[in-house]
Amino acid sequence: MLGLKISIGGLLLLFSAFWLSACTTTSRAPTSAKVRVIPKVMHGQYVVRRGDTLYSIARRHGWDWKALAAHNRIGSPYRLKVGQIIRFDNRPLPRQTPASAPRRSTPPPRQTASKPPATPSKPKPSVSRQPAKTTNPPPRQTPPAAGSAALSAIQWRWPTDGTLIARFAANNGLNKGIDIAGKAGQPVKAAADGLVTYAGNGLYGNGEALVIKHGTSLVVSVYGHNRRLLVKEGQQVKAGQVIAEMGASGTDRVKLHFEIRYQSQAVDPLLYLPKR
């Protein structure tokens, strides 16, 4: 019996010791959890990402969210945007308040642009275009009746063989005759009977050139960009006579520039040269 009592007493002592140890371990757990404190970040910055809130950023960096909002000049309703910078130091920063968001949407100046007044100004250039259209070049291409008769009475010939590379363009003055491509030294012939009234390089932009007067009327033909002139001023020439050698004087390629003029007015040579 005595041995049984001792064993029961021992068991009681063991049980009480076990109970006390359990109580001490359970009471220490919450105290260790309360000790954890996140240090307040006082330098650097943070770039807002998708899903971030002011409260979550402040909590992760040891800040009170209201203090962090005031530090970054963020007012109510405390909304953040992706890419917005949150600073923890004392550097000056531009205002990033969400209230400035509606200020960015400033379409009124675009809507009030001076587009409506621009519409009445459109007729102004159209008015200037109408008289330009009335001054069409066809009258320039067609000589007076007397000139047309005089030009048609002449038996014209092509001044050389080759490809036609530029046509008459009296409307803008870029080409007062035609250009015929060929080879250097290729013969250039008189387009009709006449008198050589000019031979030289004094005609601006024509290089070595010849001018031949035809008949008693004021009809002349011009031959430009020659390599060598074979006739002189005051010399009578016949239609088809070789008067020069084709070249590239005064231009960028070998060609003959040929003009027909009546009373110093250029006309389209293709109106009078035979078709080929």
Side-chain angles (χ1 to χ4, degrees):
M1 290 294 292
L2 181 59
L4 180 62
K5 289 180 180 180
I6 293 173
S7 61
I8 291 173
L11 291 174
L12 291 174
L13 289 173
L14 291 173
F15 179 77
S16 61
F18 177 78
W19 180 80
L20 288 173
S21 63
C23 290
T24 55
T25 55
T26 55
S27 62
R28 291 176 184 173
T31 58
S32 61
K34 293 180 181 178
V35 174
R36 183 180 180 185
V37 177
I38 299 176
K40 186 176 181 180
V41 177
M42 296 300 297
H43 63 276
Q45 62 187 26
Y46 177 81
V47 180
V48 177
R49 302 176 182 176
R50 188 179 300 275
D52 284 340
T53 63
L54 188 62
Y55 178 79
S56 65
I57 296 172
R59 185 176 180 182
R60 292 198 301 269
H61 295 83
W63 281 70
D64 177 77
W65 69 272
K66 290 185 178 180
L68 187 61
H71 186 71
N72 285 271
R73 299 179 184 177
I74 300 175
S76 179
Y78 307 106
R79 295 177 182 174
L80 301 179
K81 294 184 178 181
V82 176
Q84 184 175 346
I85 296 175
I86 302 297
R87 291 190 180 276
F88 305 109
D89 51 24
N90 293 324
R91 291 185 183 180
L93 71 161
R95 294 184 179 180
Q96 304 182 40
T97 58
S100 63
R103 295 179 187 174
R104 294 180 182 176
S105 59
T106 55
R110 298 178 183 176
Q111 294 177 357
T112 58
S114 58
K115 290 183 180 179
T119 51
S121 64
K122 291 181 180 179
K124 294 181 181 179
S126 64
V127 173
S128 61
R129 291 175 185 174
Q130 289 178 356
K133 292 180 180 179
T134 56
T135 57
N136 290 329
R140 298 181 183 178
Q141 297 181 5
T142 305
S148 179
L151 290 167
S152 300
I154 299 174
Q155 300 295 321
W156 295 100
R157 296 185 181 184
W158 281 84
T160 190
D161 298 327
T163 304
L164 184 66
I165 57 174
R167 292 177 176 270
F168 178 74
N171 55 337
N172 53 18
L174 293 178
N175 195 355
K176 297 180 180 180
I178 60 175
D179 293 345
I180 305 171
K183 297 179 181 180
Q186 182 175 316
V188 176
K189 304 175 183 178
D193 297 344
L195 174 69
V196 179
T197 59
Y198 178 82
N201 57 5
L203 296 180
Y204 178 76
N206 284 279
E208 295 291 334
L210 291 170
V211 178
I212 299 177
K213 180 181 178 181
H214 305 283
T216 57
S217 62
L218 299 177
V219 179
V220 298
S221 57
V222 182
Y223 311 77
H225 305 311
N226 301 287
R227 183 177 73 176
R228 188 161 68 101
L229 305 180
L230 303 178
V231 293
K232 300 179 181 180
E233 294 181 8
Q235 182 177 341
Q236 291 284 345
V237 294
K238 294 291 184 179
Q241 179 180 339
V242 178
I243 56 177
E245 295 177 355
M246 187 182 295
S249 59
T251 186
D252 57 350
R253 62 173 297 177
V254 176
K255 64 181 178 180
L256 171 68
H257 177 71
F258 177 71
E259 297 180 11
I260 296 178
R261 292 176 172 267
Y262 175 77
Q263 292 183 343
S264 300
Q265 178 181 340
V267 298
D268 188 355
L270 296 180
L271 297 176
Y272 304 100
L273 292 175
K275 294 182 180 181
R276 63 175 185 178

